[in-house]
Amino acid sequence: MNTADPSPALTPAEQARQDGYDALHTARAASPLPSHLYAAAMGDAYPAEIAAASSCDWPLIGIMVADLRMPEGSALVDLGCGTGGIGLWLARALHVPVAGIDISPRAVELAAARAPAFLPPGRAAFRVGTVERTGLPDASAGGVICVDALGHASDPVTALAEIHRILTPGGRAVVTGAVRRDTEPVWHHQAEAAGLRVEYVRERPDEPAMWRRLYQLWQARADELALHLGEDQARVMLAEAARRRPNLDSRQAVALTLRRPLRCTDAPTTLESR
């Protein structure tokens, strides 16, 4: 897959997010403790080889394998790929090449270093980009995955429209997301505005409890986090735990399977134009 377009210029908010993720990935690469805590929180649902710093578990991997249904010779795109484990594992399982996109240059560097353990040379490429601006060619992906990254988009419809743009007609994307249970889901509305069709909405009932266990572990082992990752990263992680843990009881987590319609003339519409 051609990924030669230059990295996008970042807004101030995106630059701050890039700096934060660079620091996070640098710290986590230096210690096995974060992976050990994710494994403890997930139990036997933890895909150890993938070692993702996200909610990716074996049930989600199963959904992606079953739903992507990628045609032979097509390419997979992993949006918000982090250190690349999810996309690399799927590309090996599905016998396709993979392109990973992440806002963090450090994550991209670490993902590229992991690629030889999963795929032959030339089957994986990683580049800096955002979920709204990947820099990839039109209709270049037979499948797209986006795990726990869509929520960082400044506008989810713009990010979904980018997924529409890079998917081949008929191609599918599996995207994770969450809403409060007392709010009306907007998935169908946003997907339609981006030109995508929702094929499946699958609730992930174990996901909120996994985050609760993980945050409890972070808080219980705060001193170890500071020792292994540094005080700054420990402070960031503990702030996340304190902010998100009280809201987990009302969290509804889902995996969405989206499809670009087969007709090449189908184009995204905006919410305002409907």
Side-chain angles (χ1 to χ4, degrees):
M1 175 180 288
N2 177 16
T3 60
D5 288 352
S7 300
L10 301 180
T11 67
E14 289 170 338
Q15 184 63 61
R17 191 159 72 248
Q18 182 183 83
D19 293 343
Y21 277 112
D22 277 350
L24 179 148
H25 288 298
T26 297
R28 291 189 178 182
S31 171
L33 179 61
S35 293
H36 289 167
L37 297 182
Y38 272 92
M42 287 190 185
D44 63 5
Y46 180 67
E49 188 180 20
I50 289 172
S54 68
S55 67
C56 182
D57 54 14
W58 281 121
L60 179 61
I61 291 291
I63 289 170
M64 292 189 285
V65 169
D67 285 5
L68 286 172
R69 306 177 201 175
M70 295 176 58
E72 185 178 356
S74 62
L76 175 68
V77 171
D78 183 356
L79 290 184
C81 65
T83 58
I86 304 172
L88 289 167
W89 192 98
L90 284 170
R92 184 181 63 192
L94 300 174
H95 303 284
V96 297
V98 61
I101 307 294
D102 200 273
I103 196 171
S104 165
R106 179 58 174 150
V108 166
E109 177 186 346
L110 292 167
R114 296 181 69 188
F118 290 85
L119 295 171
R123 295 281 300 278
F126 296 92
R127 57 165 287 130
V128 177
T130 71
V131 292
E132 300 101 326
R133 302 184 307 283
T134 64
L136 298 174
D138 293 351
S140 57
V144 173
I145 59 170
C146 184
V147 178
D148 298 354
L150 190 66
H152 296 300
S154 56
D155 177 13
V157 174
T158 300
L160 291 170
E162 179 71 351
I163 291 175
H164 176 283
R165 184 186 70 79
I166 65 175
L167 274 174
T168 57
R172 293 176 172 86
V174 177
V175 177
T176 63
V179 295
R180 289 180 58 91
R181 289 188 178 277
D182 57 359
T183 62
E184 184 70 22
V186 295
W187 303 306
H188 287 83
H189 191 37
Q190 292 177 338
E192 181 184 1
L196 296 166
R197 188 174 79 240
V198 178
E199 286 197 328
Y200 303 106
V201 179
R202 294 185 175 89
E203 186 163 0
R204 304 178 63 204
D206 297 329
E207 191 254 37
M210 183 282 292
W211 285 119
R212 182 178 292 105
R213 290 191 296 270
L214 182 65
Y215 292 149
Q216 288 171 340
L217 287 167
W218 287 1
Q219 291 169 328
R221 300 177 68 172
D223 290 343
E224 287 181 76
L225 288 176
L227 178 63
H228 285 259
L229 305 181
E231 292 186 1
D232 288 344
Q233 279 307 307
R235 190 179 304 113
V236 169
M237 294 169 68
L238 293 171
E240 177 185 331
R243 182 178 70 253
R244 295 184 60 187
R245 186 177 168 187
N247 300 317
L248 291 173
D249 286 340
S250 63
R251 180 179 176 88
Q252 181 183 19
V254 298
L256 307 173
T257 301
L258 312 173
R259 191 177 191 189
R260 175 173 174 170
L262 281 167
R263 290 186 300 161
C264 295
T265 55
D266 288 346
T269 57
T270 65
L271 291 174
E272 291 77 15
S273 68
R274 294 192 62 78

